[in-house]
Structures are given as structure tokens and as C-alpha cells.
């Protein structure tokens, strides 16, 4: 008995730290799973102990399916019988389970170490769903097709896909734990206006223009090109006929780029000379970069810049020289151009928004930590717009029929079902009968027309609902065939040629050759409290202009961009926040403040002030018109606890908030801002509020940040 009790204690101790995310079908079939090592070990021990002697351990996938089957079946039963389901529950050993049903797929997130609450787990679920939408597009609108994509029959293919999704989830989790831009879900730009302008001009007039003018582009057109320094945006260019890229899609692409080429240099572990030269506390160091190659030089292959050539002035400090050698050692030869990834992004058109439109994503590494990302429009993208228009029409018709509307009442709206009929006939004819999927669509559409439009048919009533669903499945199948299945015509190029990709990579490397070391350091210390002047007249720093201010984050939710001093938390780094533990403590307070303010914002509060020990926290959300005039604060919508998480990555809460607020300001361009500040608690409240007003007005002045 004592031995049994001890075993139970040991087992319970071994599962204290457990994390898991699972996607399952209604029949408890695992469509995707990610677990940490502790969770996996516990499951293997639990189900391995129940095996008969002489039999090996069961496959982990089978074990985890058996473990979650009761929860999945219980959820399905509640939905069927009560039209309701779980959203979350906590077990006796304080394990938190958060569940969310998207169509026929059930997402379950688990945490057992206390590091994540219900909100964190719900956010992780929505981010995972966003990743899958970007990877599979409109196929996610058909549960049957999505199950086939997430769980391929080929076990090796399934393992590769799951490993890729697991890696994306881990990359996101790491960025959210360490990067302020992913904490608040907004893009951070590298603050260097001169270089930014030069790079944008280079992308427009040299890179994109040359690529789009080449015969090697195989019908693709570069719409967007941007340069990433770790997760920070150095420059972003969109062609004139391109739609704007949403913040949600851009953040997802940054995660994907980081996952493809992880930063080998720890952003929180800079070399000693980096800290001294950027924090303002060390001796002045001067460095003259090598002269940039001229157009005449770069045109000659013999005169390309040599990486190891000597600068005009050479450092003699051995520590500095060692750091330079380390940076050179990290340089890698240009890799072979990679096959692009197919991504599905939102496109704004004159007719409205079209979600999940196909693009090709090219991520070309320039140096470790520095990448060039290009997004191209593929030649057959018009097919995707047609498919979405038809899907939307059948979804609206299905909804009206489900609500009990019949006959002409069910077919009203724009476009009318009769307009859809003629367009869909032309669409199917253009596809041709050769493909199996096209033939299936033709057969289902013919049956739909016989039932809906023929005089002897039942017409538009509830009996047509299954055929609406069938039409949507067939349309998603066409979309899958066009954009997710590799073309069998191997002799026809379907992407930018390898030589064209290599040329783009080389051009960008030549442009940034003199800046690469500076950019890597700048990305770690983009803005600091002691080195970034907030006043151009007196050259004051944030710390001097706002005594008692420890940290701030300001976000322009209209553009999805943020600005904040860097937080370096390593033991070897001495900055204005002190060494590692002090900075880590302040970092944890900032992360906690963001989580707290989101909960208040969900309850309808746009202003929050909190005193926590030696610190005083403030949060403000406000609206302005285009001239900078602050608009009267209105009521913020109150959201239920189980609603989608507030942010811009998985669900763009702020876009909906701006749309809601703009109803009372017709004809005006409304902008939304957020400001979070951390002050020392000894500073009087009236001074803190004065600081917040002044800081908010100065941060977004056009003269301060011309590219924001």
C-alpha cells in the first residue's frame, strides 16, 4: 500500500508541467497534436503500464487519442442533445483545459504548470487556426477536405506536416514570450529613417521592377517585398496594383520566416561592445564602413564586395576584434533558392475583402537574422476570387433556408442566385471536363439546378440545404486542386526561376553589405530609454524628459505598428534597467500588465491605472481623427469571456472596434491608439498622467517617425 501510494505521488509529480494542443474530429480521430516532453512522457508511462507483457508500447498517436476520447465524445454529445458545449474546465490537479469547436474540428489546449491561463490557451488555439488558414486557405471551409489535409494517409507525409505545424506553434510561443511586438500583436519597425527610405527606394526601383520585368518570373508578379531584421521590419514596399497587407497576415508571415530561418544570434545576448556602443553608458566607438559598390562595380562579377576586406579604420580592441570574427564566422554561403511556400492571404478589392487568396512566399536569407521576403501573385489567382464569390453565395442561401425562408425570400440579395447561376455555368465551362474534380462539380451543380430552378423540382426550401453544403464542398475541392496540389506538368515552371531568386538575394546583399553588423546590433537595441532622443530641440532622452518613467509601449492600431524601448534581460548585459534579474522582473510586470489590460478592455474599460508595489501602471485606448484631434470616448463593446482573444494576429479585434466606433463619425478617418506605461510608484499621479499625455503626443509626430 505504501509502495502504491508512493508510485502515485511520483506519477503526479511527473505531470506537474504539462502542455498540449490537440485538433480532433468528432469521431475522436487526431488531426494534429503537439505536446511538451513532460506530457508525452506521462502519456507513454500511463498507457505503457497497461500493456500486456510481450507487447510493445502503443503508438503515441493512439495513446493520446484514447486519452482525449471521453472529452471529445462528451463534447459531441452535449452539442447534439443540448446545442451547447464546454469552453473550459479545471481538473483537481489544477490542469486547465480550453476547448473550442470550429465546424467539425475540436481544438483542445491543456496547461498544467500554471504558466498559461484560459486566455493564453484560447489565444494559442486561435493562432493555430490562423496558421492553418494561411497554409490551406479555403480548404478550411470544408471539414471533410480539411481532415484529409491535416491527416494524410501517408504516415511519413503526416509526420512531416505535423512536425512543421508543431515547429510553427513553438516559434510563435517563443516569440510571444520574448518579443514585445508579438506580446501586443503589432509590427515593430527598425528606427533608422535614412536607411529605411533608401531600402524602400531600392526595393521599388531596382529589385521589384527588375523581377517583374524578367521573362523568368513564370507569370508571377511580385506584389510585396520586405526586409526583416530578426522580427523587426526594416523596409516594406508594395507595388501600385497590390492590395494592402493586413497586420494579421504580416505577423503570421514573420512567424513563418522566423521558423524557416531561426535567428542564430540570441537577441538578448549582445556582445559587450554592442551594449557599450548602443546604451550610451560606455566609451565612444567609431566605425567607418566599407564604401558601397557602385552600379558599375556591382555589374562586374570580378568586383563584387569581399566579405573579409579591411575597413578604412580598424578596431584594435581584442574583444571587439573577436566579436567581429564571430560575426564573420556566422556568415553562411548563399543557400540554394528555396521552393516558395504557398500562402493564403487577405486581399482588399474594389468589390470588397477576399480572404485566403493564394500567393507564393519567397523567404531569402541574406545573413543569419536578416531575410528578404517577397510575396507574388500567381497567374491563376482569379479562380480563387470566383470560388470565394460562389462559396459566399451558397453560404448565404444555406443560412436563409436554415432560418425558414423559402422561395423568393431565400434568393434575394446581391448577387442574386440567378446571377450566380450564369456565372457558375461559365466558370465550370472554363475549367473544362478533363479533371475529375471539375466533373464532380458539374454533376452536383446539375442536380442542384434541377432541384432549385426546374418547374417540377422542389424549389428553394429546406430540402436544398444538403445540396448547398455539397456545392460548397465541391467548390473547395476545385480550390484545393488549383492551389494545393502540385501540378503534374513538371516541364512548366510555376515559380520565379532559381537564377532570378539568386539575383534578388545578391542584389539585396550588396545593398546591405556595409550595414549588416549595425542592423543586427540595432535590432537588439532599437530604442532605449537613455539613447533615443524624444525632443529634437534640446536632444533630451525619454529618461530625462520623463523622470520616473521605466518603460512604455505605444501602438497605432490603425496601421498595426508599435514602438517601445528594448528590453534586454541577460545577466551579462548592463542597461538602464540594471542587470538580468532586475530587467527580467520588469519584463514580467510588463507582460502581466498587457494581460490585465486585455481583460479590462474585454469588459469595456478603455482606461486602467494600477499600483503594484513600487510601480504604477497606466493603460489608455483612445481615438483620433486624421488631423490628430482626440475624439470623444464612446462606449467600448463588452465581450463574453469565451470570445476570441483581443489582438491583431488570430482575430483582428481592433479592426472591428474601429468599424464600430466609426459609425458615429461618418466621413471621418478614425484612428485608434494604445499606450501602456510603467512608472516608479513614488512619482505623483498627476505627474504620471501628464507624462502619458506628453508621451502620446510626441511619439507619433510625423517629424519623429516619418516612416510610421
Amino acid at each position: 500500500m505504501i509502495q502504491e501510494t508512493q508510485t502515485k505521488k511520483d506519477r503526479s509529480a511527473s505531470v506537474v508541467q504539462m502542455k498540449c494542443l490537440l485538433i480532433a474530429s468528432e469521431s475522436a480521430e487526431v488531426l494534429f497534436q503537439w505536446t511538451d516532453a513532460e506530457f508525452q512522457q506521462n502519456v507513454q508511462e500511463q498507457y505503457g503500464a497497461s500493456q500486456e507483457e510481450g507487447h510493445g508500447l502503443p503508438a503515441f498517436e493512439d495513446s493520446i487519442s484514447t486519452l482525449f476520447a471521453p472529452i471529445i465524445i462528451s463534447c459531441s454529445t452535449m452539442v447534439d442533445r443540448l446545442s451547447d458545449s464546454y469552453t473550459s474546465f479545471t481538473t483537481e490537479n489544477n490542469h486547465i483545459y480550453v476547448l473550442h469547436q470550429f465546424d467539425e474540428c475540436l481544438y483542445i489546449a491543456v496547461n498544467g504548470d500554471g504558466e498559461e491561463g484560459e486566455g493564453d490557451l484560447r489565444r494559442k488555439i486561435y493562432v493555430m487556426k490562423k496558421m492553418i488558414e494561411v497554409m490551406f486557405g479555403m480548404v478550411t471551409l470544408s471539414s471533410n477536405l480539411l481532415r484529409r489535409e491535416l491527416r494524410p494517409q501517408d504516415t511519413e507525409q503526416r509526420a512531416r506536416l505535423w512536425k512543421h505545424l508543431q515547429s510553427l506553434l513553438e516559434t510563435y510561443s517563443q516569440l510571444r514570450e520574448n518579443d514585445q511586438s508579438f506580446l501586443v500583436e503589432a509590427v515593430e519597425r527598425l528606427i533608422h529613417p535614412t536607411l529605411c527610405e533608401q531600402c524602400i527606394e531600392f526595393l521599388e526601383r531596382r529589385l521589384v521592377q527588375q523581377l517583374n520585368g524578367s521573362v523568368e518570373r513564370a507569370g508571377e508578379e511580385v506584389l510585396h517585398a520586405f526586409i526583416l531584421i530578426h522580427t523587426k521590419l526594416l523596409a516594406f514596399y508594395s507595388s501600385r496594383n497590390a492590395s494592402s497587407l493586413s497586420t494579421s497576415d504580416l505577423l503570421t508571415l514573420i512567424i513563418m520566416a522566423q521558423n524557416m530561418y531561426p535567428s542564430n544570434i540570441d537577441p538578448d545576448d549582445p556582445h559587450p561592445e554592442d551594449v557599450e556602443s548602443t546604451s550610451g553608458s560606455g566609451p565612444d566607438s567609431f566605425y567607418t564602413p566599407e564604401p558601397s559598390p557602385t552600379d558599375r562595380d556591382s555589374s562586374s562579377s570580378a568586383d563584387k564586395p569581399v566579405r573579409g576586406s579591411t575597413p578604412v579604420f580598424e578596431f584594435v580592441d581584442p574583444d571587439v576584434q573577436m566579436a567581429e570574427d564571430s560575426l564573420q564566422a556566422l556568415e553562411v554561403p548563399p543557400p540554394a533558392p528555396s521552393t516558395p511556400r504557398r500562402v493564403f492571404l487577405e486581399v482588399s478589392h474594389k468589390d470588397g475583402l477576399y480572404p485566403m487568396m493564394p500567393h507564393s512566399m519567397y523567404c531569402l536569407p541574406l545573413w543569419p537574422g536578416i531575410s528578404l521576403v517577397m510575396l507574388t501573385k500567381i497567374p491563376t489567382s482569379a479562380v480563387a476570387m470566383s470560388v470565394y464569390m460562389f462559396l459566399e453565395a451558397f453560404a448565404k442561401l444555406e443560412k436563409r433556408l436554415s432560418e425558414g425562408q423559402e422561395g423568393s425570400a431565400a434568393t434575394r440579395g446581391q448577387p442574386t442566385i440567378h446571377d450566380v447561376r450564369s456565372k457558375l455555368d461559365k466558370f465550370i465551362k472554363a475549367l473544362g471536363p478533363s479533371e475529375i474534380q471539375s466533373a464532380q462539380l458539374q454533376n452536383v451543380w446539375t442536380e442542384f439546378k434541377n432541384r432549385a430552378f426546374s418547374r417540377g423540382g422542389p424549389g428553394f426550401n429546406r430540402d436544398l440545404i444538403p445540396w448547398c453544403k455539397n456545392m460548397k464542398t465541391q467548390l473547395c475541392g476545385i480550390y484545393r486542386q488549383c492551389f494545393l496540389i502540385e501540378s503534374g506538368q513538371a516541364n512548366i515552371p510555376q515559380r520565379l526561376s532559381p537564377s532570378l531568386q539568386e539575383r534578388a538575394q545578391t542584389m539585396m546583399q550588396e545593398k546591405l553589405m556595409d550595414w549588416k553588423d549595425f542592423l543586427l546590433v540595432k535590432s537588439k537595441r532599437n530604442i532605449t530609454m537613455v539613447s533615443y532622443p524624444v525632443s529634437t530641440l534640446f536632444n533630451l532622452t525619454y529618461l530625462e524628459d520623463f523622470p520616473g518613467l521605466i518603460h512604455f509601449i505605444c501602438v497605432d492600431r490603425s496601421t498595426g505598428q508599435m514602438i517601445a524601448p528594448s528590453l534586454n534581460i541577460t545577466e551579462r548585459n548592463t542597461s538602464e534597467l540594471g542587470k538580468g534579474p532586475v530587467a527580467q522582473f520588469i519584463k514580467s510586470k510588463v507582460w502581466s500588465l498587457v494581460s490585465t489590460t486585455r481583460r479590462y478592455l474585454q469588459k469595456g474599460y478603455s482606461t486602467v491605472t494600477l499600483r503594484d508595489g513600487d510601480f504604477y501602471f497606466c493603460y489608455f485606448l483612445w481615438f483620433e481623427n486624421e488631423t490628430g484631434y482626440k475624439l470623444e470616448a464612446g462606449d467600448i463593446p463588452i465581450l463574453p469571456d469565451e470570445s476570441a482573444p483581443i489582438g491583431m494576429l488570430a482575430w483582428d479585434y481592433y479592426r472591428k472596434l474601429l468599424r464600430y466606433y466609426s459609425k458615429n463619425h461618418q466621413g471621418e478617418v478614425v484612428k485608434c491608439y494604445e499606450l501602456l506605461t510603467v512608472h516608479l510608484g513614488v512619482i505623483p499621479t498627476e505627474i504620471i498622467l501628464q507624462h502619458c499625455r506628453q508621451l502620446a503626443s510626441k511619439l507619433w509626430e510625423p517629424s519623429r517617425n516619418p516612416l510610421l
Side-chain angles (χ1 to χ4, degrees):
M1 185 68 179
I2 295 176
Q3 180 65 37
E4 184 181 344
T5 304
Q6 185 64 41
T7 304
K8 288 181 179 178
K9 285 183 178 180
D10 293 341
R11 183 171 297 173
S12 64
S14 67
V15 300
V16 170
Q17 295 187 353
M18 293 171 53
K19 294 180 182 178
C20 171
L21 191 142
L22 181 83
I23 305 176
S25 67
E26 292 179 329
S27 59
E29 185 180 41
V30 177
L31 304 179
F32 168 74
Q33 57 85 13
W34 170 87
T35 64
D36 64 0
E38 288 81 4
F39 191 99
Q40 183 171 349
Q41 181 182 353
N42 174 67
V43 172
Q44 288 174 339
E45 288 178 356
Q46 181 178 349
Y47 288 92
S50 63
Q51 292 294 297
E52 296 179 7
E53 291 186 10
H55 293 273
L57 290 174
F60 181 69
E61 186 181 318
D62 295 335
S63 300
I64 203 168
S65 177
T66 305
L67 176 67
F68 281 96
I71 299 174
I72 298 167
I73 295 170
S74 176
C75 283
S76 299
T77 304
M78 289 188 67
V79 171
D80 290 340
R81 299 186 180 181
L82 302 176
S83 299
D84 202 355
S85 185
Y86 309 111
T87 55
S88 64
F89 61 86
T90 304
T91 61
E92 289 183 352
N93 57 359
N94 291 322
H95 283 52
I96 303 173
Y97 289 71
V98 173
L99 306 90
H100 198 99
Q101 185 97 22
F102 294 104
D103 293 326
E104 296 176 18
C105 295
L106 179 64
Y107 287 64
I108 305 174
V110 185
N111 181 269
D113 61 4
E115 291 182 356
E116 297 171 307
E118 287 186 21
D120 301 315
L121 296 177
R122 188 167 289 110
R123 186 176 302 276
K124 187 183 288 186
I125 286 174
Y126 274 83
V127 168
M128 192 72 246
K129 180 175 180 285
K130 172 67 178 180
M131 297 284 188
I132 290 173
E133 288 175 347
V134 170
M135 286 180 61
F136 298 107
M138 287 183 225
V139 170
T140 58
L141 302 179
S142 168
S143 299
N144 290 331
L145 293 178
L146 181 59
R147 283 201 299 269
R148 286 162 53 186
E149 290 297 325
L150 289 177
R151 189 182 173 84
Q153 292 290 333
D154 186 344
T155 53
E156 290 186 6
Q157 183 183 353
R158 188 193 312 162
R160 285 194 301 271
L161 172 63
W162 287 11
K163 186 175 182 181
H164 178 59
L165 287 170
Q166 289 164 355
S167 181
L168 284 172
L169 184 61
E170 289 168 358
T171 299
Y172 161 73
S173 298
Q174 184 179 6
L175 290 175
R176 188 171 181 273
E177 289 173 7
N178 298 292
D179 197 307
Q180 293 181 93
S181 65
F182 281 88
L183 170 69
V184 297
E185 296 186 2
V187 178
E188 184 175 7
R189 302 196 72 148
L190 209 68
I191 307 297
H192 196 293
T194 303
L195 181 58
C196 288
E197 288 174 352
Q198 289 179 9
C199 287
I200 291 172
E201 185 177 356
F202 182 85
L203 290 173
E204 177 185 9
R205 299 185 180 179
R206 292 285 305 280
L207 188 77
V208 173
Q209 197 174 75
Q210 194 171 126
L211 295 182
N212 285 343
S214 173
V215 295
E216 301 176 42
R217 62 188 178 94
E220 292 197 351
E221 178 189 358
V222 180
L223 298 178
H224 308 280
F226 54 94
I227 304 165
L228 288 176
I229 316 297
H230 297 305
T231 59
K232 295 179 178 62
L233 204 60
L234 172 62
F236 188 100
Y237 169 73
S238 296
S239 62
R240 287 177 177 82
N241 57 342
S243 163
S244 58
L245 193 63
S246 71
T247 303
S248 174
D249 287 341
L250 182 53
L251 288 170
T252 305
L253 294 173
I254 293 174
I255 294 172
M256 296 178 73
Q258 278 290 300
N259 187 61
M260 281 188 240
Y261 300 103
S263 301
N264 295 324
I265 303 172
D266 184 356
D268 283 333
D269 193 17
H271 297 294
E273 78 283 3
D274 295 343
V275 177
E276 292 178 353
S277 62
T278 57
S279 66
S281 57
D284 293 334
S285 302
F286 300 94
Y287 173 69
T288 302
E290 306 166 50
S292 300
T294 62
D295 291 340
R296 185 171 61 246
D297 293 336
S298 60
S299 64
S300 171
S301 60
D303 294 332
K304 284 183 179 179
V306 181
R307 290 178 180 174
S309 55
T310 308
V312 178
F313 295 120
E314 190 171 326
F315 287 113
V316 294
D317 188 327
D319 291 334
V320 175
Q321 187 60 52
M322 185 181 297
E324 286 187 342
D325 293 340
S326 300
L327 281 172
Q328 290 177 5
L330 283 168
E331 293 178 7
V332 292
S338 61
T339 302
R341 291 197 178 276
R342 182 60 48 82
V343 292
F344 300 92
L345 311 172
E346 182 184 87
V347 169
S348 57
H349 194 262
K350 61 181 179 181
D351 300 330
L353 288 176
Y354 287 83
M356 297 179 277
M357 293 293 110
H359 295 72
S360 290
M361 175 188 180
Y362 297 83
C363 186
L364 306 179
L366 306 178
W367 297 280
I370 305 178
S371 300
L372 168 67
V373 180
M374 297 184 296
L375 296 172
T376 63
K377 177 184 178 181
I378 61 178
T380 56
S381 59
V383 174
M385 298 183 77
S386 297
V387 168
Y388 177 73
M389 182 189 71
F390 297 137
L391 283 171
E392 194 174 36
F394 282 106
K396 288 179 180 178
L397 176 60
E398 181 186 344
K399 182 181 178 183
R400 292 193 186 107
L401 294 174
S402 300
E403 292 171 350
Q405 301 181 38
E406 295 186 358
S408 59
T411 60
R412 71 176 188 273
Q414 294 294 331
T416 66
I417 194 66
H418 299 285
D419 292 336
V420 171
R421 178 183 181 179
S422 60
K423 290 179 180 178
L424 189 49
D425 284 333
K426 293 177 183 177
F427 177 77
I428 294 175
K429 186 177 180 180
L431 288 175
S434 58
E435 298 288 348
I436 296 175
Q437 193 68 50
S438 302
Q440 290 176 348
L441 174 62
Q442 175 71 69
N443 293 337
V444 175
W445 175 231
T446 301
E447 183 63 28
F448 182 95
K449 288 190 292 184
N450 291 337
R451 290 172 173 271
F453 298 108
S454 64
R455 291 184 179 179
F460 290 92
N461 57 31
R462 296 182 67 90
D463 294 338
L464 208 59
I465 292 176
W467 291 97
C468 288
K469 295 180 184 293
N470 205 346
M471 279 301 301
K472 291 193 296 181
T473 300
Q474 296 302 324
L475 286 166
C476 289
I478 292 291
Y479 179 94
R480 175 179 178 269
Q481 180 180 291
C482 292
F483 305 115
L484 284 177
I485 299 176
E486 293 294 330
S487 173
Q489 299 172 300
N491 58 330
I492 300 178
Q494 299 292 325
R495 58 188 175 93
L496 302 180
S497 69
S499 61
L500 202 59
Q501 294 183 53
E502 191 172 355
R503 194 186 314 164
Q505 191 179 41
T506 303
M507 289 170 64
M508 208 69 248
Q509 284 175 326
E510 289 176 351
K511 173 65 180 176
L512 295 177
M513 179 65 70
D514 303 335
W515 293 93
K516 67 179 190 300
D517 295 352
F518 164 78
L519 289 172
L520 290 171
V521 174
K522 178 68 174 171
S523 70
K524 308 165 196 171
R525 307 281 286 170
N526 191 26
I527 299 171
T528 67
M529 295 293 292
V530 297
S531 65
Y532 192 83
V534 76
S535 170
T536 54
L537 182 61
F538 301 106
N539 202 36
L540 297 177
T541 66
Y542 291 123
L543 210 57
E544 294 167 327
D545 216 7
F546 304 105
L549 177 65
I550 296 174
H551 191 70
F552 67 86
I553 301 176
C554 193
V555 189
D556 180 350
R557 290 299 180 182
S558 308
T559 62
Q561 297 183 23
M562 58 87 72
I563 185 170
S566 302
L567 281 174
N568 292 303
I569 59 173
T570 54
E571 185 63 44
R572 60 186 292 186
N573 174 21
T574 303
S575 69
E576 64 274 12
L577 295 180
K579 284 195 174 182
V582 177
Q584 176 65 56
F585 177 74
I586 294 175
K587 173 180 175 288
S588 66
K589 291 292 184 183
V590 171
W591 260 245
S592 176
L593 171 64
V594 171
S595 179
T596 301
T597 55
R598 277 175 175 156
R599 288 198 297 271
Y600 277 103
L601 186 58
Q602 192 173 7
K603 297 179 186 299
Y605 295 92
S606 60
T607 300
V608 180
T609 58
L610 298 169
R611 187 179 295 276
D612 183 2
D614 296 329
F615 302 100
Y616 196 91
F617 303 111
C618 293
Y619 166 79
F620 302 95
L621 180 143
W622 73 98
F623 300 92
E624 294 180 3
N625 62 16
E626 205 169 12
T627 63
Y629 176 76
K630 186 177 178 182
L631 301 175
E632 183 180 352
D635 293 332
I636 304 294
I638 300 174
L639 304 177
D641 292 338
E642 64 276 7
S643 62
I646 289 176
M648 302 187 81
L649 173 56
W651 180 67
D652 199 338
Y653 164 82
Y654 295 94
R655 176 192 288 182
K656 295 183 182 299
L657 181 63
L658 275 165
R659 195 179 300 142
Y660 172 83
Y661 190 84
S662 298
K663 290 178 181 177
N664 298 325
H665 296 273
Q666 299 292 336
E668 284 188 286
V669 177
V670 179
K671 297 186 176 183
C672 176
Y673 297 92
E674 285 181 307
L675 176 66
L676 300 96
T677 63
V678 183
H679 279 80
L680 290 174
V682 296
I683 306 299
T685 306
E686 58 272 16
I687 299 297
I688 292 175
L689 297 178
Q690 182 183 348
H691 282 180
C692 292
R693 283 192 295 269
Q694 293 174 347
L695 188 61
S697 63
K698 291 184 177 181
L699 280 173
W700 299 109
E701 286 178 358
S703 60
R704 290 297 317 124
N705 297 296
L707 296 178
L708 294 181

